Protein backbone atom coordinates (compact mmCIF):
# COMPACT_ATOMS: atom_id res chain seq x y z
CA UNK A 1 0.00 0.00 0.00
CA UNK A 2 2.79 2.46 0.81
CA UNK A 3 5.26 1.38 -1.87
CA UNK A 4 9.00 1.67 -1.50
CA UNK A 5 11.59 -0.93 -0.58
CA UNK A 6 11.98 -2.67 2.78
CA UNK A 7 15.19 -4.36 3.90
CA UNK A 8 15.54 -6.35 7.08
CA UNK A 9 17.36 -9.28 8.67
CA UNK A 10 15.46 -12.35 9.76
CA UNK A 11 15.86 -16.09 10.05
CA UNK A 12 14.08 -18.68 7.95
CA UNK A 13 13.83 -22.44 7.93
CA UNK A 14 14.92 -24.06 4.68
CA UNK A 15 13.27 -27.13 3.18
CA UNK A 16 15.94 -29.33 4.76
CA UNK A 17 14.80 -28.16 8.22
CA UNK A 18 17.89 -26.06 8.96
CA UNK A 19 17.54 -22.45 10.11
CA UNK A 20 19.45 -19.79 8.18
CA UNK A 21 20.10 -16.09 8.77
CA UNK A 22 19.13 -13.94 5.79
CA UNK A 23 18.75 -10.39 4.57
CA UNK A 24 15.45 -9.88 2.78
CA UNK A 25 14.77 -7.07 0.31
CA UNK A 26 11.19 -6.63 -0.83
CA UNK A 27 9.27 -4.07 -2.84
CA UNK A 28 5.70 -3.62 -4.03
CA UNK A 29 5.09 -3.34 -7.78
CA UNK A 30 2.13 -1.74 -9.46
CA UNK A 31 0.06 -2.62 -12.47
CA UNK A 32 -0.39 -0.35 -15.45
CA UNK A 33 -3.65 0.89 -13.98
CA UNK A 34 -1.83 2.01 -10.82
CA UNK A 35 -3.10 -0.71 -8.53
CA UNK A 36 -0.79 -2.83 -6.42
CA UNK A 37 0.17 -5.95 -8.27
CA UNK A 38 2.04 -7.75 -5.50
CA UNK A 39 5.49 -8.03 -3.95
CA UNK A 40 8.84 -8.90 -5.42
CA UNK A 41 11.76 -9.81 -3.17
CA UNK A 42 15.31 -11.04 -3.00
CA UNK A 43 16.85 -13.01 -0.17
CA UNK A 44 20.58 -13.14 0.63
CA UNK A 45 21.83 -15.94 2.89
CA UNK A 46 24.22 -14.44 5.49
CA UNK A 47 24.53 -17.49 7.76
CA UNK A 48 28.27 -17.94 7.20
CA UNK A 49 28.90 -14.22 7.63
CA UNK A 50 27.02 -14.28 10.93
CA UNK A 51 29.07 -17.25 12.10
CA UNK A 52 32.27 -15.44 11.17
CA UNK A 53 31.15 -12.33 13.07
CA UNK A 54 30.32 -14.42 16.12
CA UNK A 55 33.72 -16.10 15.95
CA UNK A 56 35.52 -12.77 15.68
CA UNK A 57 33.53 -11.37 18.60
CA UNK A 58 34.24 -14.49 20.66
CA UNK A 59 37.98 -14.38 20.00
CA UNK A 60 38.02 -10.68 20.89
CA UNK A 61 36.62 -11.34 24.37
CA UNK A 62 37.32 -14.95 25.33
CA UNK A 63 40.28 -17.29 25.60
CA UNK A 64 39.65 -20.14 23.12
CA UNK A 65 41.64 -22.70 25.12
CA UNK A 66 39.61 -22.35 28.34
CA UNK A 67 36.43 -20.47 27.26
CA UNK A 68 37.15 -17.94 30.02
CA UNK A 69 36.98 -14.18 29.48
CA UNK A 70 40.28 -12.72 28.28
CA UNK A 71 42.06 -9.64 29.59
CA UNK A 72 40.03 -7.25 27.40
CA UNK A 73 36.70 -8.47 28.74
CA UNK A 74 38.06 -8.65 32.29
CA UNK A 75 39.11 -4.99 32.18
CA UNK A 76 35.66 -3.99 30.91
CA UNK A 77 33.91 -5.87 33.71
CA UNK A 78 36.35 -4.44 36.24
CA UNK A 79 35.64 -0.91 35.01
CA UNK A 80 31.88 -1.49 35.37
CA UNK A 81 32.21 -2.96 38.86
CA UNK A 82 34.50 -0.11 39.91
CA UNK A 83 31.92 2.45 38.81
CA UNK A 84 29.25 0.68 40.86
CA UNK A 85 31.55 0.30 43.87
CA UNK A 86 32.28 4.02 43.81
CA UNK A 87 28.55 4.73 43.87
CA UNK A 88 27.84 2.21 46.62
CA UNK A 89 31.04 3.13 48.48
CA UNK A 90 31.93 -0.50 49.05
CA UNK A 91 35.04 -2.58 48.32
CA UNK A 92 36.15 -5.03 45.68
CA UNK A 93 39.23 -7.21 45.24
CA UNK A 94 41.36 -8.10 42.24
CA UNK A 95 43.39 -11.31 42.44
CA UNK A 96 46.27 -12.20 40.13
CA UNK A 97 46.89 -15.96 40.12
CA UNK A 98 49.95 -17.43 38.46
CA UNK A 99 50.72 -21.16 38.32
CA UNK A 100 54.11 -21.88 39.85
CA UNK A 101 56.83 -23.24 37.56
CA UNK A 102 54.43 -23.93 34.71
CA UNK A 103 57.20 -23.80 32.09
CA UNK A 104 59.03 -26.62 33.85
CA UNK A 105 55.84 -28.66 33.80
CA UNK A 106 55.32 -28.18 30.05
CA UNK A 107 58.98 -29.02 29.44
CA UNK A 108 58.54 -32.30 31.31
CA UNK A 109 55.11 -33.34 30.01
CA UNK A 110 54.73 -31.40 26.76
CA UNK A 111 52.72 -28.39 25.66
CA UNK A 112 49.62 -30.43 24.84
CA UNK A 113 49.48 -31.79 28.38
CA UNK A 114 50.01 -28.26 29.67
CA UNK A 115 47.03 -27.02 27.65
CA UNK A 116 44.83 -29.81 29.04
CA UNK A 117 45.96 -28.90 32.53
CA UNK A 118 45.03 -25.25 32.01
CA UNK A 119 41.52 -26.27 30.95
CA UNK A 120 41.12 -28.30 34.13
CA UNK A 121 42.55 -25.45 36.19
CA UNK A 122 40.05 -23.04 34.63
CA UNK A 123 37.18 -25.37 35.55
CA UNK A 124 38.31 -25.73 39.15
CA UNK A 125 38.86 -22.04 39.62
CA UNK A 126 35.43 -21.23 38.17
CA UNK A 127 33.74 -23.66 40.55
CA UNK A 128 35.53 -22.05 43.50
CA UNK A 129 33.94 -18.64 43.00
CA UNK A 130 30.60 -16.96 43.59
CA UNK A 131 28.12 -16.44 40.77
CA UNK A 132 28.88 -12.69 40.61
CA UNK A 133 32.65 -13.14 40.52
CA UNK A 134 34.64 -13.03 37.28
CA UNK A 135 37.65 -15.12 36.35
CA UNK A 136 39.70 -14.50 33.22
CA UNK A 137 42.74 -16.04 31.59
CA UNK A 138 45.19 -13.23 30.91
CA UNK A 139 48.48 -14.97 30.14
CA UNK A 140 50.06 -18.31 29.33
CA UNK A 141 49.61 -19.51 32.91
CA UNK A 142 48.01 -16.50 34.59
CA UNK A 143 44.44 -15.79 35.67
CA UNK A 144 42.72 -12.70 37.05
CA UNK A 145 39.81 -12.88 39.49
CA UNK A 146 37.37 -10.07 40.30
CA UNK A 147 35.55 -10.20 43.63
CA UNK A 148 32.92 -7.43 43.78
CA UNK A 149 30.85 -6.36 46.77
CA UNK A 150 33.13 -7.45 49.58
CA UNK A 151 33.03 -5.85 53.00
CA UNK A 152 36.32 -6.96 54.55
CA UNK A 153 39.73 -7.95 53.23
CA UNK A 154 39.30 -11.30 54.97
CA UNK A 155 36.80 -12.22 52.26
CA UNK A 156 39.52 -11.83 49.63
CA UNK A 157 41.93 -13.87 51.76
CA UNK A 158 39.32 -16.60 52.18
CA UNK A 159 38.70 -16.70 48.42
CA UNK A 160 42.44 -16.92 47.73
CA UNK A 161 42.82 -19.74 50.26
CA UNK A 162 39.99 -21.71 48.67
CA UNK A 163 41.47 -21.25 45.20
CA UNK A 164 44.88 -22.47 46.35
CA UNK A 165 43.41 -25.43 48.24
CA UNK A 166 41.47 -26.57 45.20
CA UNK A 167 44.55 -26.36 42.98
CA UNK A 168 46.59 -28.49 45.39
CA UNK A 169 44.37 -31.49 44.68
CA UNK A 170 45.85 -33.87 42.10
CA UNK A 171 45.04 -33.41 38.41
CA UNK A 172 44.66 -36.55 36.30
CA UNK A 173 46.36 -36.17 32.93
CA UNK A 174 47.39 -38.92 30.55
CA UNK A 175 46.69 -41.51 33.22
CA UNK A 176 48.95 -39.96 35.84
CA UNK A 177 48.59 -37.56 38.75
CA UNK A 178 50.05 -34.08 38.41
CA UNK A 179 50.35 -31.71 41.36
CA UNK A 180 50.68 -27.95 41.04
CA UNK A 181 50.72 -24.88 43.24
CA UNK A 182 50.03 -21.23 42.53
CA UNK A 183 50.91 -17.77 43.78
CA UNK A 184 48.23 -15.11 44.25
CA UNK A 185 48.50 -11.35 44.61
CA UNK A 186 45.57 -9.38 46.03
CA UNK A 187 44.71 -5.71 45.47
CA UNK A 188 41.79 -3.98 47.16
CA UNK A 189 39.69 -1.06 46.01
CA UNK A 190 39.92 1.72 47.10
CA UNK A 191 43.19 1.20 49.03
CA UNK A 192 45.43 -0.12 46.23
CA UNK A 193 44.07 1.77 43.27
CA UNK A 194 41.07 3.64 41.92
CA UNK A 195 41.27 2.64 38.26
CA UNK A 196 41.38 -0.77 36.54
CA UNK A 197 45.03 -0.60 35.49
CA UNK A 198 46.11 0.53 38.96
CA UNK A 199 44.44 -2.45 40.60
CA UNK A 200 45.82 -4.87 38.00
CA UNK A 201 49.35 -3.56 38.55
CA UNK A 202 48.97 -3.70 42.31
CA UNK A 203 47.72 -7.29 42.23
CA UNK A 204 50.54 -8.26 39.86
CA UNK A 205 53.21 -6.80 42.10
CA UNK A 206 51.67 -8.61 45.08
CA UNK A 207 51.74 -11.86 43.08
CA UNK A 208 55.46 -11.38 42.41
CA UNK A 209 55.96 -10.86 46.14
CA UNK A 210 54.13 -14.14 46.81
CA UNK A 211 56.56 -15.92 44.49
CA UNK A 212 59.55 -14.21 46.09
CA UNK A 213 58.61 -15.42 49.57
CA UNK A 214 58.27 -19.04 48.55
CA UNK A 215 55.29 -19.54 46.21
CA UNK A 216 52.19 -21.62 47.01
CA UNK A 217 50.49 -18.76 48.87
CA UNK A 218 49.00 -15.28 48.60
CA UNK A 219 50.11 -11.76 49.43
CA UNK A 220 48.23 -8.49 49.74
CA UNK A 221 49.61 -5.46 47.95
CA UNK A 222 51.58 -3.09 50.12
CA UNK A 223 53.19 0.30 49.37
CA UNK A 224 56.56 -1.11 50.44
CA UNK A 225 56.98 -3.09 47.20
CA UNK A 226 60.41 -2.53 45.69
CA UNK A 227 61.06 -0.15 42.82
CA UNK A 228 62.44 -3.05 40.82
CA UNK A 229 59.13 -4.91 41.04
CA UNK A 230 57.25 -1.81 39.96
CA UNK A 231 59.56 -1.40 36.96
CA UNK A 232 58.94 -5.01 35.93
CA UNK A 233 55.19 -4.48 36.11
CA UNK A 234 55.39 -1.29 34.04
CA UNK A 235 57.32 -3.20 31.37
CA UNK A 236 54.81 -6.03 31.40
CA UNK A 237 51.77 -3.76 31.03
Amino acid sequence: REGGVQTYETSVVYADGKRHEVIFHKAAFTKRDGSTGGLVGAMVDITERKKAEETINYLAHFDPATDLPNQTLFQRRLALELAESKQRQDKLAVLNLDIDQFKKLTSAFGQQTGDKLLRQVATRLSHSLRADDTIAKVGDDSFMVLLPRITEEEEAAQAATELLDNLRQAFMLEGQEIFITASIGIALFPFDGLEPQDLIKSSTSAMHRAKDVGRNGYQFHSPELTARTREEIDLEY
Side-chain angles (χ1 to χ4, degrees), residues 213-228:
V213 298
R215 303 187 182 94
N216 192 24
Y218 66 85
Q219 290 285 319
F220 282 91
H221 176 266
S222 67
E224 290 78 24
L225 289 169
T226 63
R228 178 180 177 183

Side-chain angles (χ1 to χ4, degrees), residues 68-71 73-74 134-139 142-146:
L68 292 178
N70 61 15
Q71 184 161 337
L73 184 54
F74 180 82
T134 296
I135 180 170
K137 187 170 180 291
V138 298
S142 299
F143 300 82
M144 297 292 296
V145 178
L146 171 60

